[in-house]
Amino acid sequence: MHLSLTLTTAMAAFACFGEVASVPLEETLRSLTPKARNVLKRATPVAPYFVLYSDAYVSTEPTVSEISGFNVFALSFLLADGAADQAQEWEELTAAQRSSILSEYDAAGISLIVSFFGSTETPTSSGYDPINTANTMAAWVIEYGLQGVDIDYEDFAAFNAGTGAAEQWLGNFTTQLRTQLPQGQYILTHAPVAPWFTPDRWGGGGYLWVNSVVGDMIDWYNVQFYNQGTTEYTTCDGLLYNSSTAWPQSALFQIADSGVPLDKLVIGKPATAAQATNGYIDPSLLASCVSSAYADGWDGGVMVWEYPYAESSWIATVRGDTWPMPSTTATPTSTGTTPTSTGTTTATPIPTGTGNCAGVAAWTAAVAYTGGSEVTYGGYLWTASWWTEDDTPGGTSGVWINDGACTSTATAAAKRRALPPPIVTAPAL
């Protein structure tokens, strides 16, 4: 059976749901209590995404300062029959403990999500029903107060079979999840290995097919550019522009050329060589790759496997001058006695001359901004990563992304790499 036929009923139901839930997010937020609004407003961040997985044992979630610089933290893994590893650790906390952690993360602009499956499970090969599995796992997410899910599907046998069963399963599973975890209220990401985007390689169309059918329901892809061969994706050129003949057209910009939105492609790498079989890149080199990709128009962000081997200092290195992290410095105040700190927050130097501020209004504390809103402040152009009110651009909340110093002659768009219009033809299954 064709996936498009199999999904018809589920998609029709989802479309009807979307009509019911089509009230603009800003209006929805304003109707909520302040506490509920604060929980919801950060559920849908916009690019760049800085994603950190947590599967290695730790007794509780890290503090905000330990993972500063990330905006998504993924507990791994939730399995079809229940929580394991760090998802189980979360489940075993008291409701008060979970509430406290969620509040702290929310205040810092960090979304807490859970990752499904991983290498532990093969849902298609094992015969799991995608609808029932989606319902069960979504109920767990809602019960334990998380802000979204990541589908780390690693059923290689099903994909390699080339029958389309893997793609069909993923399409149905994703669609049903969205009926339970509405877009705009919950994050939903996928974490495919990069070769699954290679065109004309997979009998069922691979992830290009998945993207063409349910890509609008997926917020972004945490692409695993590792564990695919000792020389794969280990240079900036191989990672960004020219993948090897072993996995053709699976580098970052090549995937975008195949029709996947560039801002949905997040570069995934292991924190150290020990966290993957291969594909590791030193953080300083990765920062150089990130800078090159950003100059060519990409702004998807970076994913890393895993905490505690990657934390704030790791992402600070990788973000580098592309997305510099704010730093807090103490400014002495002369009082004739002992100097005191004013807690002044200063931003790390940023790229200059890249912000097109023409027609953009100045930031105002009393205005509520939705994700993607642009303002000017302090001579720079800023973009909101999520809904925000009374958060000063450049402040410690991290909600505002600095797009560069205002200039009337240069625009960010002019610096971006011209890409052909997305064209994806879904192969018949």
Side-chain angles (χ1 to χ4, degrees), residues 80-368:
D81 62 354
D85 303 338
Q86 290 312 112
Q88 181 178 0
E89 180 276 323
W90 177 256
E91 182 180 83
E92 292 174 350
L93 296 175
T94 67
Q97 288 172 320
R98 290 194 294 268
S99 178
S100 176
I101 293 169
L102 285 168
S103 295
E104 291 174 4
Y105 280 27
D106 173 69
I110 301 171
S111 297
L112 189 61
I113 68 173
V114 65
S115 187
F116 292 171
F117 308 129
S119 61
T120 303
E121 283 193 305
T122 55
T124 305
S125 299
S126 299
Y128 297 172
D129 178 82
I131 307 304
N132 292 339
T133 304
N135 290 339
T136 299
M137 299 179 90
W140 189 95
V141 171
I142 294 168
E143 179 180 357
Y144 290 100
L146 297 179
Q147 293 162 301
V149 303
D150 171 73
I151 302 172
D152 184 8
Y153 179 94
E154 298 189 25
D155 196 338
F156 293 98
F159 242 97
N160 293 340
T163 64
E167 292 89 335
Q168 178 176 336
W169 198 97
L170 280 167
N172 283 298
F173 184 71
T174 300
T175 302
Q176 185 62 21
L177 273 179
R178 271 304 184 204
T179 69
Q180 305 300 310
L181 305 174
Q183 201 155 18
Q185 297 180 35
Y186 290 89
I187 294 168
L188 193 161
T189 65
H190 282 226
V193 295
W196 282 350
F197 287 103
T198 292
D200 305 319
R201 182 68 174 258
W202 312 101
Y207 252 88
L208 293 182
W209 203 95
V210 172
N211 179 71
S212 71
V213 176
V214 294
D216 287 347
M217 302 180 193
I218 300 169
D219 292 311
W220 69 85
Y221 299 97
N222 297 307
V223 185
Q224 297 183 50
F225 288 103
Y226 51 92
N227 287 342
Q228 303 304 315
T230 56
T231 62
E232 304 297 327
Y233 318 116
T234 55
T235 67
C236 289
D237 183 64
L239 173 64
L240 303 178
Y241 307 110
N242 299 291
S243 61
S244 75
T245 55
W247 304 115
Q249 295 176 263
S250 63
L252 180 76
F253 283 101
Q254 291 175 318
I255 295 172
D257 288 341
S258 292
V260 182
L262 191 56
D263 64 354
K264 284 191 175 185
L265 295 174
V266 174
I267 295 173
K269 281 294 182 182
T272 73
Q275 265 60 65
T277 304
N278 47 59
Y280 170 73
I281 289 183
D282 178 82
S284 296
L285 176 57
L286 184 55
S288 177
C289 301
V290 163
S291 178
S292 296
Y294 182 79
D296 282 339
W298 165 85
D299 64 352
V302 178
M303 170 273 279
V304 61
W305 177 270
E306 63 180 322
Y307 179 83
Y309 308 101
E311 32 70 59
S312 184
S313 63
W314 188 94
I315 194 62
T317 299
V318 173
R319 288 174 58 160
D321 290 334
T322 305
W323 291 296
M325 290 171 54
S327 60
T328 303
T329 60
T331 303
T333 300
S334 177
T335 61
T337 56
T338 304
T340 59
S341 170
T342 62
T344 302
T345 299
T346 60
T348 305
I350 59 171
T352 59
T354 59
N356 180 20
C357 301
V360 179
W363 173 79
T364 303
V367 172

Side-chain angles (χ1 to χ4, degrees), residues 363-382:
W363 173 79
T364 303
V367 172
Y369 298 96
T370 56
S373 297
E374 291 185 330
V375 299
T376 60
Y377 182 79
Y380 294 94
L381 177 67
W382 304 81

